[in-house]
Amino acid sequence: MGLTVDIKKQIKDFNLDVFFDAPIGCTGILGASGCGKSMTLKAIAGIITPDSGRILHNEAVLFDHTKKIIQKPQNRKVGFLFQNYALFPNMTVEDNIYSGLLKKTPEHTKQVKDAIERFHLQGLEKRYPKMLSGGQQQRVALARILVCNPQILLLDEPFSALDAYLKEELQLELRELLKGFKGSAILVTHDRDEAYKLCDNLMIMEHGTVIAQGNTKEMFAFPTNYQTARLTGCKNISKAVKLGEHRVKATDWDMELTISMSVPDDIQYVGIRAHNFNPVFGKLEELPNVFEIVHPETVYGPFEENLIFDARSGAHIWWKIGRDQKGIQSDLPKYLSVDPKNIMILN
């Protein structure tokens, strides 16, 4: 049970061709700008009509091109949180929330009051959107879409316009909200941290199609292709050729590496997460996958340090220095090693 989407849509030179299942819970769509994420949400909501295919939710048909079924947006029980929140500027907070309902009844008045309390909007009922902060506007928009009890929740880059502190605060609030949501939620984002925190399942989109999908934590731990590894934060990726059952040549780094997994004949890339390097201060003879640190340069962040150094080929390699290793520059190692199990095989 959940949401099934199998659609195609062409707009000018862009082709959307997606198939996926979004079960109960939160599914993230991660991808670069222009890959079709927002277009997919608009098709589910009924804002745009696909050229072919079908959209099902809990066996109810929302769209079926062959059977000529196109449910109206207001009949799809979809709550859509737009990137800019799309509040009515000439309506108060209270009236914006009421606009999610067809009419005012005593029951609806209670629902609006409950929503105002749930999203901590007491005292703001008579204010207009321009009088609210970004976080308050988002709360109003969420209250408006949830007051009509949607079965599908679509969230399009909901934190993109917020500062870092407010973003983290509202991510926690949304996480709690999603825990209690009994339908299918889809979160569109280009922020991998956001996807990891909020989504049970994850899809990777590129050029209008889904190239990978699965459990979020598993996809971060074991990406199977180049694009997924990049989008989930892997900074070190090299083209590779097979040398043996557990040996490869990383051609971009001019390095031979040992991998714990069996190497397929058609291997294309290997990847190493920046935090999976280990400093070497002792003997090198028995250590696998040893990298010499050449021309090191430190990039400082507020809570971490990254060391960028050159491989034998001159290509840059990133080492994210762990919290317990901060300040290691005072005794910088000459070499790093990587456990064979931490080298990823990528298509």
Side-chain angles (χ1 to χ4, degrees), residues 310-322:
D310 291 348
R312 292 172 185 167
S313 63
H316 292 323
I317 296 179
W318 288 69
W319 172 30
K320 181 177 287 187
I321 299 172

Side-chain angles (χ1 to χ4, degrees), residues 15 19 47 52 56 68 100 121 123 127 148 156-157 174 176 207 274 305-306 326 328 340:
N15 287 299
F19 169 74
I47 298 171
S52 62
L56 308 176
K68 301 188 185 311
L121 297 167
R127 294 190 184 183
C148 50
D156 190 4
E157 301 274 10
L174 182 59
E176 291 304 309
H207 303 312
E305 297 173 11
N306 289 278
K326 283 192 70 175
I328 202 169

Side-chain angles (χ1 to χ4, degrees), residues 150-161:
Q151 294 181 3
I152 302 170
L153 189 58
L154 306 177
L155 308 165
D156 190 4
E157 301 274 10
F159 306 109
S160 62

Side-chain angles (χ1 to χ4, degrees), residues 94 97 112-122 125:
E94 189 174 52
I97 298 173
V112 170
K113 182 180 178 182
D114 290 345
I116 287 171
E117 292 179 358
R118 179 181 183 183
F119 289 95
H120 311 294
L121 297 167
Q122 301 96 318
E125 293 91 338

Side-chain angles (χ1 to χ4, degrees), residues 20-89:
F20 62 87
D21 291 309
I24 302 300
C26 186
T27 297
I29 303 181
L30 187 63
S33 297
C35 70
K37 304 187 299 294
S38 296
M39 189 186 297
T40 300
L41 293 196
K42 290 176 181 178
I44 295 169
I47 298 171
I48 64 173
T49 301
D51 298 328
S52 62
R54 62 179 188 161
I55 302 171
L56 308 176
H57 183 249
N58 293 342
E59 299 181 356
V61 181
L62 305 184
F63 170 78
D64 192 312
H65 176 74
T66 302
K67 296 180 180 179
K68 301 188 185 311
I69 297 173
I70 305 176
Q71 291 282 1
K72 294 180 179 179
Q74 58 267 35
N75 296 332
R76 297 193 181 200
K77 297 182 178 179
V78 170
F80 200 138
L81 182 64
F82 292 91
Q83 188 171 350
N84 61 359
Y85 311 138
L87 297 176
F88 296 109

Side-chain angles (χ1 to χ4, degrees), residues 192 196 220-223 229 232-236 271-279 304-307 309 317-325 336-339 341-344:
R192 61 178 180 270
Y196 192 87
F220 270 77
F222 308 106
T232 56
C234 184
K235 289 182 169 62
N236 304 308
I272 302 172
R273 298 275 187 196
H275 61 267
N276 280 331
F277 290 96
N278 300 306
E304 64 183 24
E305 297 173 11
N306 289 278
L307 188 77
F309 62 96
I317 296 179
W318 288 69
W319 172 30
K320 181 177 287 187
I321 299 172
R323 184 172 298 175
D324 59 338
Q325 299 169 327
L336 300 174
S337 68
V338 183
D339 191 308
K341 72 175 185 293
N342 289 327
I343 297 179
M344 302 178 294

Side-chain angles (χ1 to χ4, degrees), residues 40-334:
T40 300
L41 293 196
K42 290 176 181 178
I44 295 169
I47 298 171
I48 64 173
T49 301
D51 298 328
S52 62
R54 62 179 188 161
I55 302 171
L56 308 176
H57 183 249
N58 293 342
E59 299 181 356
V61 181
L62 305 184
F63 170 78
D64 192 312
H65 176 74
T66 302
K67 296 180 180 179
K68 301 188 185 311
I69 297 173
I70 305 176
Q71 291 282 1
K72 294 180 179 179
Q74 58 267 35
N75 296 332
R76 297 193 181 200
K77 297 182 178 179
V78 170
F80 200 138
L81 182 64
F82 292 91
Q83 188 171 350
N84 61 359
Y85 311 138
L87 297 176
F88 296 109
N90 60 335
M91 288 186 181
T92 64
V93 165
E94 189 174 52
D95 288 338
N96 260 287
I97 298 173
Y98 264 118
S99 71
L101 302 165
L102 296 177
K103 56 184 178 180
K104 290 185 179 181
T105 66
E107 181 183 354
H108 289 160
T109 299
K110 184 179 184 305
Q111 287 177 260
V112 170
K113 182 180 178 182
D114 290 345
I116 287 171
E117 292 179 358
R118 179 181 183 183
F119 289 95
H120 311 294
L121 297 167
Q122 301 96 318
L124 305 176
E125 293 91 338
K126 302 304 179 183
R127 294 190 184 183
Y128 292 90
K130 66 180 180 180
M131 304 166 67
L132 304 176
S133 68
Q136 290 168 339
Q137 289 181 29
Q138 189 192 74
R139 290 190 181 101
V140 175
L142 279 169
R144 181 177 64 183
I145 64 178
L146 291 174
V147 75
C148 50
N149 299 314
Q151 294 181 3
I152 302 170
L153 189 58
L154 306 177
L155 308 165
D156 190 4
E157 301 274 10
F159 306 109
S160 62
L162 304 178
D163 62 62
Y165 175 79
L166 186 57
K167 179 186 294 188
E168 291 187 359
E169 182 179 338
L170 292 180
Q171 281 176 350
L172 290 175
E173 292 184 13
L174 182 59
R175 184 180 178 186
E176 291 304 309
L177 184 154
L178 291 172
K179 285 180 181 178
F181 186 64
K182 304 302 181 183
S184 297
I186 298 182
L187 170 70
V188 157
T189 181
H190 63 271
D191 186 324
R192 61 178 180 270
D193 293 338
E194 197 170 288
Y196 192 87
K197 291 175 185 175
L198 298 173
C199 303
D200 309 302
N201 299 291
L202 185 64
M203 297 185 297
I204 305 295
M205 283 190 68
E206 185 177 68
H207 303 312
T209 190
V210 176
I211 61 170
Q213 57 184 312
N215 176 272
T216 300
K217 289 180 173 55
E218 290 179 2
M219 289 186 66
F220 270 77
F222 308 106
T224 57
N225 59 53
Y226 178 97
Q227 296 91 332
T228 301
R230 277 284 185 223
L231 287 171
T232 56
C234 184
K235 289 182 169 62
N236 304 308
I237 299 178
S238 169
K239 292 179 181 178
V241 294
K242 181 175 180 177
L243 298 178
E245 184 66 21
H246 296 281
R247 295 283 292 174
V248 300
K249 174 73 174 290
T251 56
D252 291 340
W253 304 330
D254 191 22
M255 288 278 297
E256 292 188 13
L257 301 172
T258 300
I259 301 178
S260 59
M261 297 174 60
S262 294
V263 179
D265 293 336
D266 60 349
I267 185 173
Q268 293 178 300
Y269 299 92
V270 290
I272 302 172
R273 298 275 187 196
H275 61 267
N276 280 331
F277 290 96
N278 300 306
V280 178
F281 292 102
K283 295 181 180 180
L284 304 176
E285 288 77 8
E286 297 181 1
L287 290 173
N289 307 323
V290 174
F291 289 74
E292 184 179 5
I293 295 179
V294 178
H295 302 136
E297 179 182 351
T298 304
V299 177
Y300 294 96
F303 305 109
E304 64 183 24
E305 297 173 11
N306 289 278
L307 188 77
I308 305 173
F309 62 96
D310 291 348
R312 292 172 185 167
S313 63
H316 292 323
I317 296 179
W318 288 69
W319 172 30
K320 181 177 287 187
I321 299 172
R323 184 172 298 175
D324 59 338
Q325 299 169 327
K326 283 192 70 175
I328 202 169
Q329 281 77 16
S330 60
D331 189 17
L332 188 67
K334 292 184 178 181

